[in-house]
Amino acid sequence: MRYISTRGGAPALTFEQAMMTGLATDGGLYVPETVPTLTTDQIAAMAGQSYEQIAFTVMRPFIGDTFTDDEFRAMIDRAYAGFGHDARAPLVQLAPNHFLLELFHGPTLAFKDFAMQLIGQMFQASLTRSGERITIVGATSGDTGSAAIEAFRGLDNVDVFILFPHGRVSEVQRRQMTTPNEANVHALAMDGDFDDCQAMLKDMFNDTPFRDGVRLAGVNSINWGRVLAQVVYYFSSAVSLGAPHREISFTVPTGNFGDIFAGYIAKQMGLPIADLVVATNQNDILHRTLETGAYTKEGVTPSISPSMDIQVSSNFERALFYAYGGDGAAVAAQMDDLKSGGFEISQGAYQYLRDTFMSGRASEEETSAAIKTYLAKHGELLCPHSAVGVHVAEDHLGATPMITLATAHPAKFPDAVNAASGIKPPLPPRMADLYDRDERVTRVANDFDAIATLIKERIAL
Ligand SMILES: *Cc1c(COP(=O)(O)O)cnc(C)c1O
């Protein structure tokens, strides 16, 4: 299994190389040369299996000979052993034919733990084998950073630096990044918003001397390994509702398009998914793009669902690649146009996206109202991101079962949840002392040279 760049101008890599590299040298994202498929029998056999067993079946065809079957099974087991729920990704019923997939039972209470915990295992195995040391730099609007720190803290051959927008993450998110006290963990509070952090990260990857000098590796949602790990819960949840003998739809609270893109891959692999619905908050660039065919940057307005506050949705490039039938040059041209504000998707590609994804948006008021209603009428206290999801899902309920992804635990966003519902959700007991732990954070300007120097000093180059 080889991985190719969405921009067609970088060498094809193995799974291991693509995972360790993150962004391709031509600025593109890695995708598998062909998407492996599972037979109806293989999918049917998942009924009643553990999450870990399903994870192995789904991911094994993608990893080539990077790990042996036994190694890979052991990594999967270790990755999910620390979750607070035996089912890992339990389904609860909200209403007739509407289900909630709880993806928040990992160590940092958001779905990003599913991918990051596994990536941590895979990086460690790969680095131990090669004897290399790497520097992971991540940009986060809140949840990626804490999930990365949790996955890499204390590992021998990794330093992890996380850039988050100063003052724009929730206190729980910030504390999850600033309280781990291992020496290899570096939380950096940067001036600006999430897109500034993400742009800084891209600049670091595009600066070859820096990139090579610190042996930079990325774990943002552009990392193929992340997308892959997220494919699994589409299978586990759909099978528990009757797939492959029955079609299932999904609504996904969306920001960087990683999670919903994993759903697209699941469908390519043969999972009978009817609708894939992109749910955005007021930063609705993806909804507007799917409505109009024009991707136009308009700035970010901070919302109560901050992990979806984006205007450049990096994984959307992967969807474009498939919409353009694998034409890397076409994708590269669109990404060039994006630098000057936006692009028009050509007719055929736009039609493909319209046929593949549905979309909707929730305003701030609608998000708060959903939190309140779902507590009162369905007995579920939702985080604001999940509330965006259920609000949008309501427009798509019908004969096909709908699964809305609950991407974070309500206790991760207590202020917004409290304002909407009057209830301050408590942290799960296993992290109840988070507010008492000491914080360690470095404030940095939105300045490439200053941040690059700081990183080099910290890793003593
Ligand atoms: C990251 C995140 C999202 C958005 O997921 P993408 O893969 O970036 O689209 C939604 N909700 C929560 C809680 C998140 O942490």
Side-chain angles (χ1 to χ4, degrees), residues 209-407:
F210 176 77
R211 174 182 174 152
D212 294 347
V214 305
R215 286 173 305 281
L216 195 60
V219 293
N220 263 33
S221 65
I222 55 129
N223 192 300
W224 173 257
R226 295 251 328 254
V227 174
L228 178 58
Q230 293 168 186
V231 177
V232 175
Y233 44 70
Y234 286 89
F235 277 92
S236 65
S237 59
V239 165
S240 66
L241 290 183
H245 311 299
R246 189 186 187 199
E247 287 197 317
I248 310 288
S249 293
F250 288 90
T251 299
V252 185
T254 297
N256 256 325
F257 214 79
D259 213 3
I260 184 114
F261 185 76
Y264 170 81
I265 293 292
K267 188 170 178 174
Q268 298 302 106
M269 290 180 74
L271 188 65
I273 296 179
D275 296 342
L276 268 177
V277 185
V278 174
T280 73
N281 67 21
Q282 62 188 1
N283 295 294
D284 59 353
I285 182 158
L286 290 165
H287 175 53
R288 280 186 284 114
T289 303
L290 290 166
E291 295 270 281
T292 65
Y295 193 105
T296 327
K297 288 197 272 183
E298 274 182 7
V300 172
T301 312
S303 79
I304 58 171
S305 46
S307 302
M308 294 156 65
D309 286 349
I310 53 99
Q311 60 169 338
V312 176
S313 183
S314 32
N315 272 293
F316 190 62
E317 179 168 342
R318 286 192 163 108
L320 274 182
F321 177 79
Y322 287 98
Y324 276 102
D327 181 351
V331 175
Q334 302 252 276
M335 291 301 134
D336 247 5
D337 292 343
L338 186 58
K339 287 187 197 135
S340 45
F343 55 83
E344 282 281 340
I345 303 168
S346 76
Q347 194 53 44
Y350 177 49
Q351 196 53 50
Y352 181 89
L353 292 172
R354 296 274 291 190
D355 294 343
T356 309
F357 298 103
M358 303 186 149
S359 66
R361 93 193 277 274
S363 68
E364 295 289 271
E365 296 71 35
E366 289 164 336
T367 307
S368 295
I371 294 175
K372 196 171 172 185
T373 311
Y374 274 78
L375 180 61
K377 294 206 178 140
H378 311 259
E380 283 294 322
L381 191 55
L382 299 171
C383 94
H385 309 78
S386 313
V388 168
V390 298
H391 174 83
V392 171
E394 282 183 354
D395 286 337
H396 300 270
L397 297 181
T400 307
M402 172 63 77
I403 297 176
T404 297
L405 274 53
T407 51

Side-chain angles (χ1 to χ4, degrees), residues 45-248:
M46 293 174 187
Q49 289 189 344
S50 70
Y51 187 85
E52 285 81 353
Q53 287 172 307
I54 295 172
F56 179 82
T57 308
V58 171
M59 294 189 285
R60 181 69 191 85
F62 288 91
I63 67 164
D65 55 8
T66 296
F67 306 113
T68 66
D69 287 0
D70 286 348
E71 280 174 331
F72 194 46
R73 277 206 185 86
M75 282 177 209
I76 293 170
D77 287 350
R78 280 195 299 271
Y80 301 118
F83 277 49
H85 198 299
D86 268 358
R88 310 313 179 208
L91 264 184
V92 301
Q93 186 159 13
L94 292 173
N97 250 2
H98 191 189
F99 299 82
L100 191 71
L101 181 58
E102 293 185 350
L103 300 176
F104 51 67
H105 294 284
T108 71
L109 307 179
F111 82 88
K112 294 191 172 71
D113 288 323
F114 276 89
M116 211 62 88
Q117 286 293 318
L118 185 65
I119 284 261
Q121 295 295 325
M122 295 196 289
F123 268 55
Q124 188 177 24
S126 178
L127 291 170
T128 304
R129 196 153 65 191
S130 68
E132 276 175 51
R133 190 181 173 82
I134 57 165
T135 303
I136 287 174
V137 185
T140 187
S141 54
D143 295 330
T144 305
S146 49
I149 286 171
E150 204 52 55
F152 290 99
R153 61 191 290 186
L155 295 190
D156 287 337
N157 20 22
V158 179
D159 273 289
V160 53
F161 292 82
I162 297 297
L163 289 167
F164 66 87
H166 177 72
R168 296 204 189 195
V169 300
S170 80
E171 185 178 359
V172 174
Q173 289 177 315
R174 191 191 70 233
R175 286 182 166 276
Q176 285 181 334
M177 294 188 275
T178 58
T179 58
N181 53 16
E182 286 83 356
N184 72 329
V185 170
H186 314 268
L188 307 179
M190 196 180 100
D191 295 333
D193 60 25
F194 171 57
D195 284 312
D196 295 322
C197 294
Q198 192 160 254
M200 178 65 67
L201 185 70
K202 282 218 163 192
D203 289 346
M204 290 185 183
F205 274 96
N206 288 332
D207 184 321
T208 312
F210 176 77
R211 174 182 174 152
D212 294 347
V214 305
R215 286 173 305 281
L216 195 60
V219 293
N220 263 33
S221 65
I222 55 129
N223 192 300
W224 173 257
R226 295 251 328 254
V227 174
L228 178 58
Q230 293 168 186
V231 177
V232 175
Y233 44 70
Y234 286 89
F235 277 92
S236 65
S237 59
V239 165
S240 66
L241 290 183
H245 311 299
R246 189 186 187 199
E247 287 197 317
I248 310 288

